[in-house]
mmCIF file of all heavy atoms in Angstrom:
data_model
loop_
_atom_site.group_PDB
_atom_site.id
_atom_site.type_symbol
_atom_site.label_atom_id
_atom_site.label_comp_id
_atom_site.label_asym_id
_atom_site.label_seq_id
_atom_site.Cartn_x
_atom_site.Cartn_y
_atom_site.Cartn_z
ATOM 1 N N VAL F 37 4.339 13.838 18.634
ATOM 2 C CA VAL F 37 5.308 14.929 18.771
ATOM 3 C C VAL F 37 6.702 14.442 18.408
ATOM 4 O O VAL F 37 7.472 15.129 17.733
ATOM 5 C CB VAL F 37 5.279 15.478 20.211
ATOM 6 C CG1 VAL F 37 6.348 16.547 20.394
ATOM 7 C CG2 VAL F 37 3.896 16.056 20.520
ATOM 8 N N TRP F 38 7.027 13.223 18.841
ATOM 9 C CA TRP F 38 8.351 12.680 18.566
ATOM 10 C C TRP F 38 8.233 11.485 17.637
ATOM 11 O O TRP F 38 7.306 10.701 17.733
ATOM 12 C CB TRP F 38 9.042 12.246 19.866
ATOM 13 C CG TRP F 38 9.160 13.341 20.865
ATOM 14 C CD1 TRP F 38 8.448 13.493 22.013
ATOM 15 C CD2 TRP F 38 10.053 14.466 20.811
ATOM 16 N NE1 TRP F 38 8.822 14.626 22.680
ATOM 17 C CE2 TRP F 38 9.811 15.253 21.972
ATOM 18 C CE3 TRP F 38 11.022 14.887 19.918
ATOM 19 C CZ2 TRP F 38 10.498 16.422 22.242
ATOM 20 C CZ3 TRP F 38 11.703 16.061 20.184
ATOM 21 C CH2 TRP F 38 11.453 16.808 21.328
ATOM 22 N N VAL F 90 -13.420 2.112 19.742
ATOM 23 C CA VAL F 90 -12.634 2.671 18.635
ATOM 24 C C VAL F 90 -12.149 1.533 17.736
ATOM 25 O O VAL F 90 -11.777 0.462 18.220
ATOM 26 C CB VAL F 90 -11.421 3.462 19.188
ATOM 27 C CG1 VAL F 90 -10.437 3.795 18.084
ATOM 28 C CG2 VAL F 90 -11.891 4.742 19.875
ATOM 29 N N LEU F 114 10.307 -6.454 3.997
ATOM 30 C CA LEU F 114 9.130 -7.216 3.573
ATOM 31 C C LEU F 114 8.703 -8.214 4.649
ATOM 32 O O LEU F 114 7.507 -8.450 4.854
ATOM 33 C CB LEU F 114 9.407 -7.937 2.255
ATOM 34 C CG LEU F 114 9.251 -7.094 0.986
ATOM 35 C CD1 LEU F 114 9.818 -7.827 -0.220
ATOM 36 C CD2 LEU F 114 7.779 -6.751 0.747
ATOM 37 N N GLY F 128 -8.590 -5.287 12.740
ATOM 38 C CA GLY F 128 -9.812 -5.121 11.962
ATOM 39 C C GLY F 128 -9.711 -4.044 10.910
ATOM 40 O O GLY F 128 -10.716 -3.430 10.528
ATOM 41 N N GLN F 142 21.978 11.898 -2.179
ATOM 42 C CA GLN F 142 22.727 12.483 -1.071
ATOM 43 C C GLN F 142 22.348 13.956 -0.965
ATOM 44 O O GLN F 142 22.638 14.751 -1.860
ATOM 45 C CB GLN F 142 24.239 12.345 -1.292
ATOM 46 C CG GLN F 142 25.060 12.968 -0.172
ATOM 47 C CD GLN F 142 26.555 12.975 -0.469
ATOM 48 O OE1 GLN F 142 27.002 12.430 -1.475
ATOM 49 N NE2 GLN F 142 27.315 13.606 0.407
ATOM 50 N N GLY F 145 23.091 19.372 2.885
ATOM 51 C CA GLY F 145 22.425 20.340 3.749
ATOM 52 C C GLY F 145 21.126 19.763 4.265
ATOM 53 O O GLY F 145 21.041 18.588 4.613
ATOM 54 N N GLN F 150 12.956 15.666 7.747
ATOM 55 C CA GLN F 150 13.601 15.733 9.049
ATOM 56 C C GLN F 150 12.999 16.956 9.734
ATOM 57 O O GLN F 150 13.595 18.015 9.831
ATOM 58 C CB GLN F 150 15.119 15.838 8.916
ATOM 59 C CG GLN F 150 15.758 14.552 8.459
ATOM 60 C CD GLN F 150 17.279 14.604 8.503
ATOM 61 O OE1 GLN F 150 17.887 15.644 8.697
ATOM 62 N NE2 GLN F 150 17.902 13.448 8.317
ATOM 63 N N THR F 152 9.944 18.763 8.642
ATOM 64 C CA THR F 152 8.884 18.922 7.652
ATOM 65 C C THR F 152 9.524 19.260 6.312
ATOM 66 O O THR F 152 10.740 19.388 6.198
ATOM 67 C CB THR F 152 7.898 20.026 8.073
ATOM 68 O OG1 THR F 152 6.808 20.051 7.139
ATOM 69 C CG2 THR F 152 8.565 21.391 8.090
ATOM 70 N N ARG F 154 9.974 22.090 3.621
ATOM 71 C CA ARG F 154 9.870 23.545 3.524
ATOM 72 C C ARG F 154 10.182 23.984 2.103
ATOM 73 O O ARG F 154 11.004 23.393 1.423
ATOM 74 C CB ARG F 154 10.842 24.205 4.508
ATOM 75 C CG ARG F 154 10.532 23.925 5.971
ATOM 76 C CD ARG F 154 11.658 24.434 6.859
ATOM 77 N NE ARG F 154 11.990 25.831 6.582
ATOM 78 C CZ ARG F 154 13.096 26.420 7.029
ATOM 79 N NH1 ARG F 154 13.981 25.739 7.746
ATOM 80 N NH2 ARG F 154 13.331 27.696 6.745
ATOM 81 N N TYR F 155 9.491 25.074 1.699
ATOM 82 C CA TYR F 155 9.731 25.624 0.373
ATOM 83 C C TYR F 155 10.585 26.875 0.424
ATOM 84 O O TYR F 155 10.897 27.453 -0.605
ATOM 85 C CB TYR F 155 8.397 25.951 -0.309
ATOM 86 C CG TYR F 155 7.624 24.744 -0.809
ATOM 87 C CD1 TYR F 155 6.389 24.890 -1.390
ATOM 88 C CD2 TYR F 155 8.144 23.460 -0.692
ATOM 89 C CE1 TYR F 155 5.669 23.800 -1.852
ATOM 90 C CE2 TYR F 155 7.447 22.371 -1.145
ATOM 91 C CZ TYR F 155 6.209 22.535 -1.721
ATOM 92 O OH TYR F 155 5.502 21.467 -2.170
ATOM 93 N N GLN F 158 16.611 25.900 -0.064
ATOM 94 C CA GLN F 158 17.047 25.280 -1.308
ATOM 95 C C GLN F 158 17.592 23.898 -0.998
ATOM 96 O O GLN F 158 18.591 23.754 -0.290
ATOM 97 C CB GLN F 158 18.135 26.125 -1.986
ATOM 98 C CG GLN F 158 18.626 25.512 -3.295
ATOM 99 C CD GLN F 158 19.750 26.317 -3.921
ATOM 100 O OE1 GLN F 158 20.418 27.096 -3.240
ATOM 101 N NE2 GLN F 158 19.969 26.144 -5.205
ATOM 102 N N ASP F 189 -3.743 -11.424 -0.068
ATOM 103 C CA ASP F 189 -3.864 -12.745 0.550
ATOM 104 C C ASP F 189 -4.364 -12.657 1.993
ATOM 105 O O ASP F 189 -4.975 -13.596 2.506
ATOM 106 C CB ASP F 189 -2.520 -13.479 0.512
ATOM 107 C CG ASP F 189 -2.103 -13.869 -0.907
ATOM 108 O OD1 ASP F 189 -2.962 -13.802 -1.809
ATOM 109 O OD2 ASP F 189 -0.926 -14.214 -1.104
ATOM 110 N N SER F 241 -7.446 15.387 -10.022
ATOM 111 C CA SER F 241 -6.742 14.244 -9.441
ATOM 112 C C SER F 241 -7.712 13.122 -9.112
ATOM 113 O O SER F 241 -7.444 11.943 -9.377
ATOM 114 C CB SER F 241 -5.996 14.663 -8.175
ATOM 115 O OG SER F 241 -4.944 15.558 -8.457
ATOM 116 N N GLU F 243 -10.624 12.638 -10.517
ATOM 117 C CA GLU F 243 -11.089 12.091 -11.795
ATOM 118 C C GLU F 243 -10.088 11.086 -12.358
ATOM 119 O O GLU F 243 -10.462 10.032 -12.874
ATOM 120 C CB GLU F 243 -11.310 13.220 -12.806
ATOM 121 C CG GLU F 243 -12.556 14.039 -12.567
ATOM 122 C CD GLU F 243 -13.834 13.237 -12.778
ATOM 123 O OE1 GLU F 243 -13.833 12.326 -13.635
ATOM 124 O OE2 GLU F 243 -14.818 13.514 -12.084
ATOM 125 N N LYS F 244 -8.814 11.410 -12.265
ATOM 126 C CA LYS F 244 -7.785 10.521 -12.819
ATOM 127 C C LYS F 244 -7.687 9.217 -12.040
ATOM 128 O O LYS F 244 -7.533 8.134 -12.619
ATOM 129 C CB LYS F 244 -6.426 11.228 -12.806
ATOM 130 C CG LYS F 244 -6.281 12.365 -13.800
ATOM 131 C CD LYS F 244 -4.902 13.011 -13.663
ATOM 132 C CE LYS F 244 -4.692 14.119 -14.668
ATOM 133 N NZ LYS F 244 -3.338 14.736 -14.554
ATOM 134 N N GLY F 246 -9.972 8.008 -9.688
ATOM 135 C CA GLY F 246 -11.259 7.333 -9.644
ATOM 136 C C GLY F 246 -11.400 6.362 -8.486
ATOM 137 O O GLY F 246 -11.167 6.692 -7.327
ATOM 138 N N CYS F 289 -12.675 5.731 3.801
ATOM 139 C CA CYS F 289 -12.569 6.493 5.038
ATOM 140 C C CYS F 289 -11.929 7.853 4.745
ATOM 141 O O CYS F 289 -10.982 7.952 3.959
ATOM 142 C CB CYS F 289 -11.715 5.724 6.036
ATOM 143 S SG CYS F 289 -11.691 6.444 7.668
ATOM 144 N N SER F 291 -9.916 10.681 6.588
ATOM 145 C CA SER F 291 -9.133 10.803 7.812
ATOM 146 C C SER F 291 -8.703 12.254 8.025
ATOM 147 O O SER F 291 -8.127 12.869 7.129
ATOM 148 C CB SER F 291 -7.899 9.901 7.726
ATOM 149 O OG SER F 291 -7.243 9.815 8.961
ATOM 150 N N GLU F 312 -18.194 17.174 8.259
ATOM 151 C CA GLU F 312 -19.577 16.722 8.388
ATOM 152 C C GLU F 312 -20.527 17.696 7.692
ATOM 153 O O GLU F 312 -21.466 17.283 6.994
ATOM 154 C CB GLU F 312 -19.939 16.570 9.865
ATOM 155 C CG GLU F 312 -19.277 15.358 10.520
ATOM 156 C CD GLU F 312 -19.537 15.278 12.011
ATOM 157 O OE1 GLU F 312 -19.812 16.347 12.623
ATOM 158 O OE2 GLU F 312 -19.451 14.167 12.563
#
Side-chain angles (χ1 to χ4, degrees):
V37 176
W38 303 106
V90 168
L114 278 169
Q142 179 187 355
Q150 288 188 350
T152 186
R154 296 171 52 194
Y155 286 177
Q158 180 183 20
D189 292 346
S241 294
E243 285 294 328
K244 289 178 178 181
C289 188
S291 190
E312 287 175 336

